[in-house]
Amino acid sequence: MAEPRRSALQRVRSASLLLGPAFVAAIAYVDPGNVASNISAGAQFGYLLVWVIVMANVMAGLVQFLSAKLGLVTGMSLPEAVRAKSSRGVRLSYWAQAETVAMATDLAEVVGGAIALNLLFGLPLLVGGVITGAVSLVLLAAQNRWGQRPFERIITGMLAIIAIGFLASVVISPPSVAGTVGGLVPRFDGTESVLLAAAMIGATVMPHAVYLHSGLARDRHGNPEAGPVRARLLRITKVDVGLAMVIAGTVNMAMLLMAANTLRGREGIDSIEAAHGAVHDVLGPGAALLLAIGLLASGLASTSVGAYAGAMIMQGLLKRHIPLIVRRVVTLVPALAILALGIDPTRALIVSQVVLSFGIPFALIPLVRFTADRALMGADVNHRVTTGLAWLVAAIISVLNVALIYLTVTGG
């Protein structure tokens, strides 16, 4: 009886060693843009937008699995597949929007790290931004030197720190069960709630994570032939994505519920710094410290993953390799300019997430098309139901963005 049990444990251990790519991609779902969007949503509207967190996380799980599947089955990252299927002019235009999204991503992550260093050590925001960028460069250099597996372990460790940092406040002061359940009913309350919903989706279903995951899965697992090995890897990838999305979704929900429970109705909660101060006053210095540490880990990890994604996008679309330090400096410029000019960092974070939400269709549409193409995917082509759901995700996001533009222009 003991031998089958050992065999089962060995199979579980063997499968667990193949987990990891989705946890790297999941860092994009708990970056400082999420913190700003979710805390703002909870502080302003209470439990109203709980449903957005749930919807965005479900959509993200489907999208990330399709991205990983594309890499495993075709041996191409999503940017490489776009390049293979498009003309030079289209590739250049596509790269331009993808780079804009990458810079918006960097803005959120560097500004978030700077805010955390300010809260923890009183450092000026500009100095904190430079330190955040420098640490991300060190993490990327470690990935270049030691490979993907150690990088995955480092990022997964930071994901654990982020989870502890943001879940602590919810454990200390549990939110209203009735309010949380009531927030699952989809609805809005004016233009600002639509803006925040778009920001929350932009911070969850992030374009650079969609591009990146296809390359991560390919680089980790290779391009196995159709058969039992590929089928097993696809099953393990579903587990990888599922676990990563559960963790990311739980952290995002904790951010919103903490703000709805602790910050709702309090005056002057219009920034992460103010939210941190309110948590300190209401829940104590321990909860505030953990929140700041979680924010710092979020900024450091996510800016590293974002730069990694940017390099993969450029390499895939243009077949151009730019030295890491040059690329890091270029993408840091907008974020450091925001900090140097004294622009409200929390508002900049939210606006950056709206920019990201407009980049989502450019990642989703080709992803769905490619994974629904039998000539490209063979026996692993999407089921019709999967393709239908994926198109629905793209449509929901596009409609939300159109509504956002309309309500913003007309004033609601």
Side-chain angles (χ1 to χ4, degrees):
M1 294 296 291
E3 184 61 32
R5 184 174 299 173
R6 278 200 302 271
S7 297
L9 289 174
Q10 288 170 355
R11 287 196 297 272
V12 170
R13 183 177 184 277
S14 176
S16 69
L17 293 175
L18 298 174
L19 302 178
F23 286 80
V24 175
I27 284 292
Y29 300 100
V30 290
D31 80 343
N34 292 82
V35 180
S37 299
N38 294 332
I39 288 180
S40 294
Q44 292 183 47
F45 297 101
Y47 300 98
L48 179 74
L49 298 178
V50 165
W51 66 274
V52 177
I53 296 284
V54 176
M55 182 182 74
N57 207 62
V58 171
M59 292 192 300
L62 173 60
V63 168
Q64 292 306 137
F65 174 69
L66 292 184
S67 177
K69 183 169 80 166
L70 178 70
L72 273 171
V73 173
T74 68
M76 294 186 290
S77 68
L78 178 56
E80 288 170 341
V82 170
R83 176 183 172 82
K85 298 287 185 177
S86 60
S87 64
R88 184 174 184 275
V90 171
R91 289 198 298 267
L92 288 173
S93 299
Y94 197 92
W95 169 76
Q97 67 80 26
E99 283 297 319
T100 300
V101 167
M103 286 192 176
T105 301
D106 234 12
L107 189 154
E109 294 156 353
V110 173
V111 168
I115 292 173
L117 288 169
N118 175 262
L119 294 175
L120 288 168
F121 306 111
L123 294 177
L125 289 176
L126 182 58
V127 174
V130 171
I131 291 174
T132 301
V135 171
S136 71
L137 188 60
V138 171
L139 292 176
L140 288 169
Q143 189 275 333
N144 283 344
R145 181 179 178 86
W146 294 311
Q148 185 171 325
R149 289 292 297 279
F151 183 70
E152 287 177 2
R153 294 190 185 102
I154 293 171
I155 297 300
T156 301
M158 287 189 167
L159 181 60
I161 294 171
I162 295 165
I164 293 169
F166 289 104
L167 287 170
S169 295
V170 176
V171 172
I172 292 170
S173 179
S176 163
V177 175
T180 303
V181 173
L184 294 173
V185 179
R187 63 196 189 278
F188 294 108
D189 183 15
T191 304
E192 185 67 15
S193 67
V194 178
L195 174 66
L196 282 170
M200 291 161 71
I201 290 177
T204 305
V205 188
M206 296 189 75
H208 78 282
V210 179
Y211 297 126
L212 177 65
H213 202 168
S214 56
L216 288 171
R218 184 267 319 274
D219 293 345
R220 170 66 100 84
H221 302 307
N223 176 214
E225 296 290 333
V229 172
R230 182 194 287 179
R232 178 172 180 265
L233 286 173
L234 288 172
R235 288 195 299 271
I236 290 171
T237 296
K238 286 182 181 179
V239 175
D240 193 26
V241 171
L243 290 174
M245 289 299 102
V246 166
I247 293 172
T250 301
V251 173
N252 278 317
M253 187 66 75
M255 295 175 192
L256 187 145
L257 295 181
M258 178 275 291
N261 183 45
T262 306
L263 309 180
R264 176 70 164 151
R266 292 178 66 91
E267 296 294 327
I269 306 299
D270 55 358
S271 67
I272 291 177
E273 296 94 328
H276 175 267
V279 169
H280 183 281
D281 294 340
V282 177
L283 302 181
L289 176 63
L290 288 173
L291 188 150
I293 291 172
L295 178 62
L296 178 60
S298 170
L300 295 177
S302 58
T303 193
S304 304
V305 172
Y308 189 3
M312 184 175 290
I313 291 167
M314 177 172 286
Q315 179 68 24
L317 285 170
L318 304 182
K319 289 196 177 296
R320 295 285 187 273
H321 177 74
I322 293 180
L324 187 61
I325 191 167
V326 174
R327 176 169 182 79
R328 184 82 283 234
V329 169
V330 170
T331 55
L332 278 173
V333 167
L336 295 181
I338 291 288
L339 297 175
L341 293 172
I343 296 172
D344 176 19
T346 300
R347 190 65 182 177
L349 284 176
I350 294 173
V351 171
S352 75
Q353 302 312 296
V354 176
V355 173
L356 293 181
S357 72
F358 285 104
I360 293 170
F362 291 97
L364 293 188
I365 291 173
L367 176 65
V368 179
R369 284 185 57 203
F370 294 153
T371 54
D373 183 350
R374 184 170 294 276
L376 186 64
M377 301 293 291
D380 293 303
V381 66
N382 290 346
H383 189 281
R384 290 181 180 177
V385 173
T386 302
T387 299
L389 290 173
W391 282 125
L392 180 62
V393 167
I396 289 172
I397 294 171
S398 298
V399 168
L400 183 58
N401 286 331
V402 170
L404 171 65
I405 295 171
Y406 174 78
L407 290 173
T408 301
V409 170
T410 62

